Amino acid sequence: MNYRNELNKVVPVFNYRNVLVEKIIGGFMVMGKKVTSMDDVDDVIDESLRTVGKSIVTVENKGSINCQNDKV
């Protein structure tokens, strides 16, 4: 017996690419967006990864720490 398939029949939520995906009538719900296919699920996940990647700022400080507050 394939327990994973049996579990999906009971609980319509599964982990795909480390993201929870809900199976709904007519498609899937991923990250608050309704999509119709697994290809669209991949697109939503890839879009979110690009967005997070753009928001990350790297700073090279070479071991020094500067304080912006003069009272410290």
Side-chain angles (χ1 to χ4, degrees):
M1 173 183 271
N2 190 342
Y3 291 105
R4 174 172 269 185
N5 289 338
E6 293 298 319
L7 183 62
N8 284 339
K9 290 179 185 175
V10 177
V11 180
V13 177
F14 57 96
N15 183 349
Y16 177 71
R17 292 179 56 189
N18 294 324
V19 176
L20 288 179
V21 178
E22 180 182 4
K23 177 75 172 114
I24 58 174
I25 296 173
F28 303 92
M29 176 76 78
V30 59
M31 296 183 185
K33 296 182 181 180
K34 294 178 185 177
V35 295
T36 56
S37 69
M38 284 302 290
D39 290 333
D40 294 336
V41 170
D42 280 328
D43 292 341
V44 169
I45 294 171
D46 291 339
E47 177 185 348
S48 69
L49 289 174
R50 282 191 298 272
T51 302
V52 169
K54 289 178 184 177
S55 70
I56 295 173
V57 177
T58 58
V59 177
E60 291 186 31
N61 64 3
K62 297 181 182 173
S64 64
I65 299 174
N66 296 326
C67 183
Q68 299 294 325
N69 190 349
D70 293 334
K71 296 179 182 179
V72 174

